[in-house]
Amino acid sequence: MSTEVKEPEPVTAASEKRSRMTKGLYQLLAFGGLLVIYAFFALISPSFRTSGNLISILFSAVVIGILALGELFVIITAGIDLSVGTGMTLMGVLSGLVVVNAGMPAWVGVLAALGGGMVMGCINGLAVSYLKLPPFIATLAMMMIAEGLALVVSGSAPIYFDQDPSYGKISTGEIIPGIPNALLVFLVAAIIASVALNKTILGRYDVSIGSNAEATRLSGVNVKKWTVAIYTLAGVFTGLAGVMISARLSSAQPAVGTGYEMNAIAATVIGGASLAGGKGSVSGAVIGALIISVINNGLQIVGVPQEWQTVVLGLVIMGAVMLDSLRRRGN
């Protein structure tokens, strides 16, 4: 029995130019949407437009944005990673155990979180590539495992970094006066992600696998190996997000990450990534993270009840997915 393989469309100068223009248009629309949403909340609430609140929005965007960077690589493969939220929590707890309980330096805790995230992402990738589990199922299982492990290893209690103030400075300190370190970390992470996506073989195979995995395999690329590598990279970003949120709170909270995976997915899709795979950009994911953070913050500032905030976020995610669907039909 033969298997029909859909060959990828040849890339011509005209199609490449059209693709760049389309991507630029979506990013422009997303950025315009960000400005409109910010202006709306700024008009109806004086508290929203304070400099202190702007800093709060940016701190929130750092965590969501770093998670979105990792999620972006997975979504481009036409996969999805539901474990980034609770995985972030587990890596923050792991860092807390290393720094507080084991008395190790802060940088060792950071390495432990990054390494733990790498292992978690690698397991996700192995489950998707070699066990043939659908990404939704594999990462859903990992989401539950990470959530449970964070509670078990922490004893269901926060781990405070009081005895090592240097850990908190990873996020709230200022190497450059006036600019919190969290923003610098986010900037560096975004640059690394952009280089990895646009200038490396991993990025090229990421797009190729998401566009047509079978054609990529037949061209000689080890799709399984590169899929594992992509999920592993996403896990590193999850570990980094765990460091940043625990540093910002000066504590590892074992129940703080639930729901962040939806924020990350929404940020990537709003920024132009396609859930069908093959498309996405780092700048779009960053803009999407800012939009999610502005909406979350604005709703809190104007006093919208928590349950209605969840409803609004759900509607935003639904709208982003519908927009992606319409975009694919248009293509």
PDB file of all heavy atoms in Angstrom, residues 121-145:
ATOM      1  N   GLY A 121      11.085  18.912  28.944  1.00  0.00           N
ATOM      2  CA  GLY A 121      10.811  19.094  27.522  1.00  0.00           C
ATOM      3  C   GLY A 121      11.254  17.901  26.701  1.00  0.00           C
ATOM      4  O   GLY A 121      10.564  17.486  25.757  1.00  0.00           O
ATOM      5  N   CYS A 122      12.410  17.325  27.064  1.00  0.00           N
ATOM      6  CA  CYS A 122      12.921  16.148  26.359  1.00  0.00           C
ATOM      7  C   CYS A 122      11.945  14.974  26.498  1.00  0.00           C
ATOM      8  O   CYS A 122      11.674  14.264  25.524  1.00  0.00           O
ATOM      9  CB  CYS A 122      14.299  15.778  26.911  1.00  0.00           C
ATOM     10  SG  CYS A 122      15.064  14.395  26.057  1.00  0.00           S
ATOM     11  N   ILE A 123      11.410  14.782  27.696  1.00  0.00           N
ATOM     12  CA  ILE A 123      10.436  13.692  27.908  1.00  0.00           C
ATOM     13  C   ILE A 123       9.193  13.934  27.051  1.00  0.00           C
ATOM     14  O   ILE A 123       8.665  13.005  26.426  1.00  0.00           O
ATOM     15  CB  ILE A 123      10.068  13.600  29.401  1.00  0.00           C
ATOM     16  CG1 ILE A 123      11.282  13.155  30.216  1.00  0.00           C
ATOM     17  CG2 ILE A 123       8.906  12.627  29.615  1.00  0.00           C
ATOM     18  CD1 ILE A 123      11.066  13.202  31.712  1.00  0.00           C
ATOM     19  N   ASN A 124       8.748  15.175  27.006  1.00  0.00           N
ATOM     20  CA  ASN A 124       7.606  15.506  26.134  1.00  0.00           C
ATOM     21  C   ASN A 124       7.910  15.150  24.676  1.00  0.00           C
ATOM     22  O   ASN A 124       7.090  14.552  23.973  1.00  0.00           O
ATOM     23  CB  ASN A 124       7.274  16.999  26.230  1.00  0.00           C
ATOM     24  CG  ASN A 124       6.493  17.345  27.483  1.00  0.00           C
ATOM     25  OD1 ASN A 124       5.829  16.485  28.069  1.00  0.00           O
ATOM     26  ND2 ASN A 124       6.550  18.597  27.904  1.00  0.00           N
ATOM     27  N   GLY A 125       9.109  15.543  24.243  1.00  0.00           N
ATOM     28  CA  GLY A 125       9.488  15.281  22.859  1.00  0.00           C
ATOM     29  C   GLY A 125       9.597  13.797  22.548  1.00  0.00           C
ATOM     30  O   GLY A 125       9.164  13.332  21.493  1.00  0.00           O
ATOM     31  N   LEU A 126      10.151  13.037  23.489  1.00  0.00           N
ATOM     32  CA  LEU A 126      10.256  11.583  23.298  1.00  0.00           C
ATOM     33  C   LEU A 126       8.869  10.943  23.236  1.00  0.00           C
ATOM     34  O   LEU A 126       8.633  10.038  22.420  1.00  0.00           O
ATOM     35  CB  LEU A 126      11.065  10.971  24.445  1.00  0.00           C
ATOM     36  CG  LEU A 126      12.570  11.300  24.457  1.00  0.00           C
ATOM     37  CD1 LEU A 126      13.202  10.826  25.754  1.00  0.00           C
ATOM     38  CD2 LEU A 126      13.274  10.676  23.257  1.00  0.00           C
ATOM     39  N   ALA A 127       7.967  11.415  24.089  1.00  0.00           N
ATOM     40  CA  ALA A 127       6.607  10.864  24.096  1.00  0.00           C
ATOM     41  C   ALA A 127       5.888  11.148  22.780  1.00  0.00           C
ATOM     42  O   ALA A 127       5.175  10.289  22.253  1.00  0.00           O
ATOM     43  CB  ALA A 127       5.816  11.443  25.270  1.00  0.00           C
ATOM     44  N   VAL A 128       6.121  12.347  22.242  1.00  0.00           N
ATOM     45  CA  VAL A 128       5.456  12.719  20.982  1.00  0.00           C
ATOM     46  C   VAL A 128       6.099  12.003  19.794  1.00  0.00           C
ATOM     47  O   VAL A 128       5.403  11.474  18.915  1.00  0.00           O
ATOM     48  CB  VAL A 128       5.515  14.250  20.788  1.00  0.00           C
ATOM     49  CG1 VAL A 128       5.041  14.641  19.395  1.00  0.00           C
ATOM     50  CG2 VAL A 128       4.665  14.945  21.844  1.00  0.00           C
ATOM     51  N   SER A 129       7.439  11.953  19.776  1.00  0.00           N
ATOM     52  CA  SER A 129       8.137  11.428  18.598  1.00  0.00           C
ATOM     53  C   SER A 129       8.188   9.908  18.558  1.00  0.00           C
ATOM     54  O   SER A 129       7.893   9.292  17.536  1.00  0.00           O
ATOM     55  CB  SER A 129       9.568  11.976  18.562  1.00  0.00           C
ATOM     56  OG  SER A 129       9.548  13.353  18.397  1.00  0.00           O
ATOM     57  N   TYR A 130       8.593   9.307  19.673  1.00  0.00           N
ATOM     58  CA  TYR A 130       8.882   7.871  19.652  1.00  0.00           C
ATOM     59  C   TYR A 130       7.714   7.030  20.179  1.00  0.00           C
ATOM     60  O   TYR A 130       7.538   5.893  19.762  1.00  0.00           O
ATOM     61  CB  TYR A 130      10.147   7.591  20.457  1.00  0.00           C
ATOM     62  CG  TYR A 130      11.381   8.118  19.768  1.00  0.00           C
ATOM     63  CD1 TYR A 130      11.881   9.389  20.062  1.00  0.00           C
ATOM     64  CD2 TYR A 130      12.037   7.363  18.805  1.00  0.00           C
ATOM     65  CE1 TYR A 130      12.993   9.891  19.416  1.00  0.00           C
ATOM     66  CE2 TYR A 130      13.160   7.856  18.145  1.00  0.00           C
ATOM     67  CZ  TYR A 130      13.636   9.122  18.458  1.00  0.00           C
ATOM     68  OH  TYR A 130      14.741   9.611  17.800  1.00  0.00           O
ATOM     69  N   LEU A 131       6.937   7.570  21.124  1.00  0.00           N
ATOM     70  CA  LEU A 131       5.770   6.824  21.605  1.00  0.00           C
ATOM     71  C   LEU A 131       4.528   7.132  20.784  1.00  0.00           C
ATOM     72  O   LEU A 131       3.468   6.552  21.003  1.00  0.00           O
ATOM     73  CB  LEU A 131       5.512   7.145  23.083  1.00  0.00           C
ATOM     74  CG  LEU A 131       6.636   6.768  24.053  1.00  0.00           C
ATOM     75  CD1 LEU A 131       6.225   7.084  25.499  1.00  0.00           C
ATOM     76  CD2 LEU A 131       6.995   5.296  23.928  1.00  0.00           C
ATOM     77  N   LYS A 132       4.648   8.120  19.872  1.00  0.00           N
ATOM     78  CA  LYS A 132       3.553   8.480  18.967  1.00  0.00           C
ATOM     79  C   LYS A 132       2.317   9.004  19.694  1.00  0.00           C
ATOM     80  O   LYS A 132       1.188   8.852  19.220  1.00  0.00           O
ATOM     81  CB  LYS A 132       3.154   7.281  18.101  1.00  0.00           C
ATOM     82  CG  LYS A 132       4.279   6.669  17.292  1.00  0.00           C
ATOM     83  CD  LYS A 132       4.733   7.600  16.200  1.00  0.00           C
ATOM     84  CE  LYS A 132       5.776   6.938  15.307  1.00  0.00           C
ATOM     85  NZ  LYS A 132       6.304   7.876  14.298  1.00  0.00           N
ATOM     86  N   LEU A 133       2.540   9.578  20.878  1.00  0.00           N
ATOM     87  CA  LEU A 133       1.401  10.164  21.589  1.00  0.00           C
ATOM     88  C   LEU A 133       1.054  11.507  20.962  1.00  0.00           C
ATOM     89  O   LEU A 133       1.954  12.276  20.598  1.00  0.00           O
ATOM     90  CB  LEU A 133       1.743  10.366  23.067  1.00  0.00           C
ATOM     91  CG  LEU A 133       1.969   9.101  23.906  1.00  0.00           C
ATOM     92  CD1 LEU A 133       2.294   9.493  25.350  1.00  0.00           C
ATOM     93  CD2 LEU A 133       0.752   8.199  23.878  1.00  0.00           C
ATOM     94  N   PRO A 134      -0.224  11.818  20.839  1.00  0.00           N
ATOM     95  CA  PRO A 134      -0.577  13.176  20.371  1.00  0.00           C
ATOM     96  C   PRO A 134      -0.005  14.214  21.338  1.00  0.00           C
ATOM     97  O   PRO A 134      -0.032  13.993  22.559  1.00  0.00           O
ATOM     98  CB  PRO A 134      -2.118  13.157  20.412  1.00  0.00           C
ATOM     99  CG  PRO A 134      -2.494  11.719  20.373  1.00  0.00           C
ATOM    100  CD  PRO A 134      -1.402  10.971  21.085  1.00  0.00           C
ATOM    101  N   PRO A 135       0.515  15.318  20.815  1.00  0.00           N
ATOM    102  CA  PRO A 135       1.102  16.336  21.704  1.00  0.00           C
ATOM    103  C   PRO A 135       0.157  16.775  22.819  1.00  0.00           C
ATOM    104  O   PRO A 135       0.594  17.014  23.946  1.00  0.00           O
ATOM    105  CB  PRO A 135       1.415  17.487  20.743  1.00  0.00           C
ATOM    106  CG  PRO A 135       1.613  16.827  19.426  1.00  0.00           C
ATOM    107  CD  PRO A 135       0.665  15.676  19.393  1.00  0.00           C
ATOM    108  N   PHE A 136      -1.136  16.872  22.492  1.00  0.00           N
ATOM    109  CA  PHE A 136      -2.105  17.298  23.515  1.00  0.00           C
ATOM    110  C   PHE A 136      -2.109  16.322  24.693  1.00  0.00           C
ATOM    111  O   PHE A 136      -2.078  16.743  25.861  1.00  0.00           O
ATOM    112  CB  PHE A 136      -3.504  17.382  22.875  1.00  0.00           C
ATOM    113  CG  PHE A 136      -4.582  17.833  23.808  1.00  0.00           C
ATOM    114  CD1 PHE A 136      -4.877  19.184  23.943  1.00  0.00           C
ATOM    115  CD2 PHE A 136      -5.309  16.920  24.564  1.00  0.00           C
ATOM    116  CE1 PHE A 136      -5.861  19.611  24.817  1.00  0.00           C
ATOM    117  CE2 PHE A 136      -6.293  17.336  25.433  1.00  0.00           C
ATOM    118  CZ  PHE A 136      -6.570  18.685  25.557  1.00  0.00           C
ATOM    119  N   ILE A 137      -2.121  15.015  24.392  1.00  0.00           N
ATOM    120  CA  ILE A 137      -2.188  14.007  25.455  1.00  0.00           C
ATOM    121  C   ILE A 137      -0.870  13.935  26.226  1.00  0.00           C
ATOM    122  O   ILE A 137      -0.849  13.898  27.465  1.00  0.00           O
ATOM    123  CB  ILE A 137      -2.521  12.628  24.857  1.00  0.00           C
ATOM    124  CG1 ILE A 137      -3.874  12.664  24.140  1.00  0.00           C
ATOM    125  CG2 ILE A 137      -2.527  11.561  25.949  1.00  0.00           C
ATOM    126  CD1 ILE A 137      -5.037  13.032  25.025  1.00  0.00           C
ATOM    127  N   ALA A 138       0.241  13.919  25.467  1.00  0.00           N
ATOM    128  CA  ALA A 138       1.550  13.791  26.120  1.00  0.00           C
ATOM    129  C   ALA A 138       1.811  14.947  27.079  1.00  0.00           C
ATOM    130  O   ALA A 138       2.251  14.747  28.223  1.00  0.00           O
ATOM    131  CB  ALA A 138       2.645  13.739  25.051  1.00  0.00           C
ATOM    132  N   THR A 139       1.527  16.162  26.627  1.00  0.00           N
ATOM    133  CA  THR A 139       1.831  17.316  27.479  1.00  0.00           C
ATOM    134  C   THR A 139       0.756  17.536  28.546  1.00  0.00           C
ATOM    135  O   THR A 139       1.034  18.134  29.583  1.00  0.00           O
ATOM    136  CB  THR A 139       1.991  18.589  26.621  1.00  0.00           C
ATOM    137  OG1 THR A 139       0.786  18.828  25.872  1.00  0.00           O
ATOM    138  CG2 THR A 139       3.158  18.448  25.667  1.00  0.00           C
ATOM    139  N   LEU A 140      -0.460  17.038  28.284  1.00  0.00           N
ATOM    140  CA  LEU A 140      -1.480  17.086  29.337  1.00  0.00           C
ATOM    141  C   LEU A 140      -1.065  16.199  30.511  1.00  0.00           C
ATOM    142  O   LEU A 140      -1.200  16.578  31.684  1.00  0.00           O
ATOM    143  CB  LEU A 140      -2.834  16.640  28.785  1.00  0.00           C
ATOM    144  CG  LEU A 140      -3.994  16.563  29.796  1.00  0.00           C
ATOM    145  CD1 LEU A 140      -4.312  17.955  30.339  1.00  0.00           C
ATOM    146  CD2 LEU A 140      -5.237  15.943  29.154  1.00  0.00           C
ATOM    147  N   ALA A 141      -0.542  15.010  30.171  1.00  0.00           N
ATOM    148  CA  ALA A 141      -0.048  14.122  31.221  1.00  0.00           C
ATOM    149  C   ALA A 141       1.106  14.763  31.981  1.00  0.00           C
ATOM    150  O   ALA A 141       1.157  14.719  33.222  1.00  0.00           O
ATOM    151  CB  ALA A 141       0.389  12.792  30.602  1.00  0.00           C
ATOM    152  N   MET A 142       2.008  15.397  31.231  1.00  0.00           N
ATOM    153  CA  MET A 142       3.138  16.053  31.889  1.00  0.00           C
ATOM    154  C   MET A 142       2.670  17.222  32.745  1.00  0.00           C
ATOM    155  O   MET A 142       3.241  17.500  33.813  1.00  0.00           O
ATOM    156  CB  MET A 142       4.139  16.538  30.829  1.00  0.00           C
ATOM    157  CG  MET A 142       5.377  17.220  31.405  1.00  0.00           C
ATOM    158  SD  MET A 142       6.312  16.166  32.545  1.00  0.00           S
ATOM    159  CE  MET A 142       7.087  15.052  31.370  1.00  0.00           C
ATOM    160  N   MET A 143       1.640  17.913  32.290  1.00  0.00           N
ATOM    161  CA  MET A 143       1.086  19.018  33.073  1.00  0.00           C
ATOM    162  C   MET A 143       0.625  18.524  34.444  1.00  0.00           C
ATOM    163  O   MET A 143       0.918  19.140  35.484  1.00  0.00           O
ATOM    164  CB  MET A 143      -0.098  19.648  32.332  1.00  0.00           C
ATOM    165  CG  MET A 143      -0.765  20.803  33.076  1.00  0.00           C
ATOM    166  SD  MET A 143      -2.191  21.480  32.192  1.00  0.00           S
ATOM    167  CE  MET A 143      -3.437  20.273  32.620  1.00  0.00           C
ATOM    168  N   MET A 144      -0.063  17.387  34.456  1.00  0.00           N
ATOM    169  CA  MET A 144      -0.569  16.848  35.715  1.00  0.00           C
ATOM    170  C   MET A 144       0.566  16.310  36.580  1.00  0.00           C
ATOM    171  O   MET A 144       0.565  16.466  37.809  1.00  0.00           O
ATOM    172  CB  MET A 144      -1.599  15.754  35.420  1.00  0.00           C
ATOM    173  CG  MET A 144      -2.810  16.271  34.639  1.00  0.00           C
ATOM    174  SD  MET A 144      -3.975  14.984  34.174  1.00  0.00           S
ATOM    175  CE  MET A 144      -4.626  14.560  35.779  1.00  0.00           C
ATOM    176  N   ILE A 145       1.548  15.678  35.920  1.00  0.00           N
ATOM    177  CA  ILE A 145       2.702  15.169  36.676  1.00  0.00           C
ATOM    178  C   ILE A 145       3.448  16.325  37.350  1.00  0.00           C
ATOM    179  O   ILE A 145       3.796  16.265  38.531  1.00  0.00           O
ATOM    180  CB  ILE A 145       3.646  14.396  35.731  1.00  0.00           C
ATOM    181  CG1 ILE A 145       2.978  13.101  35.259  1.00  0.00           C
ATOM    182  CG2 ILE A 145       4.975  14.087  36.418  1.00  0.00           C
ATOM    183  CD1 ILE A 145       3.736  12.399  34.132  1.00  0.00           C
TER     184      ILE A 145
END
